[in-house]
Amino acid sequence: MKPLNYLNLSVAMGFFLGLAFSIAKFDEPEVILFWTIVSTISFYLIAMLIISVYTWSLEFDHTIFDKNNLEKRLEFFDKEFDNREKEAQNIKHYLQSFNFNGSEK
């Protein structure tokens, strides 16, 4: 089963179980709604925890610290940061080239 399908199933199950138990236990509609929402959120968080542990275990490599991979990622982020900085400078220069006062230079 795909992780997203498991998450959807868990949320739906949490909603209906919470609704059934809150209807069985409480009489006020506000309390029923509150405990239904609380149970749905708790099932969602538990399912997210299980899915994150599952995906982490699939990608788990026996090396805790892979220096080469980390350096490649840092170089990529450095290049992306430089590109964004150049783009921001170009936008700044473009905006400074406008004459907003309406008078000629």
Side-chain angles (χ1 to χ4, degrees):
M1 185 185 304
K2 293 181 181 179
L4 186 60
N5 293 343
Y6 178 73
L7 180 66
N8 293 337
L9 176 68
S10 298
V11 169
M13 185 177 63
F15 173 76
F16 287 114
L17 284 177
L19 185 63
F21 286 133
S22 61
I23 287 175
K25 183 155 176 83
F26 302 110
D27 293 330
E28 296 85 18
E30 301 87 16
V31 178
I32 292 173
L33 179 64
F34 173 74
W35 284 109
T36 303
I37 291 172
V38 167
S39 67
T40 305
I41 291 172
S42 62
F43 270 78
Y44 173 77
L45 292 175
I46 291 169
M48 285 300 291
L49 178 68
I50 292 170
I51 290 170
S52 64
V53 168
Y54 172 71
T55 55
W56 178 77
S57 68
L58 289 179
E59 297 173 359
F60 182 70
D61 194 9
H62 291 290
T63 58
I64 302 280
F65 183 72
D66 187 12
K67 184 179 178 184
N68 294 331
N69 188 21
L70 181 63
E71 286 179 355
K72 287 179 186 177
R73 290 175 59 196
L74 288 175
E75 287 175 10
F76 172 75
F77 289 134
D78 188 40
K79 288 177 186 176
E80 285 294 315
F81 181 73
D82 287 340
N83 290 339
R84 300 288 170 118
E85 188 175 8
K86 288 177 187 175
E87 187 177 325
Q89 287 294 330
N90 289 338
I91 291 171
K92 179 182 170 189
H93 292 307
Y94 178 73
L95 290 176
Q96 287 176 348
S97 69
F98 282 110
N99 187 4
F100 292 108
N101 295 335
S103 63
E104 297 292 324
K105 285 187 176 181

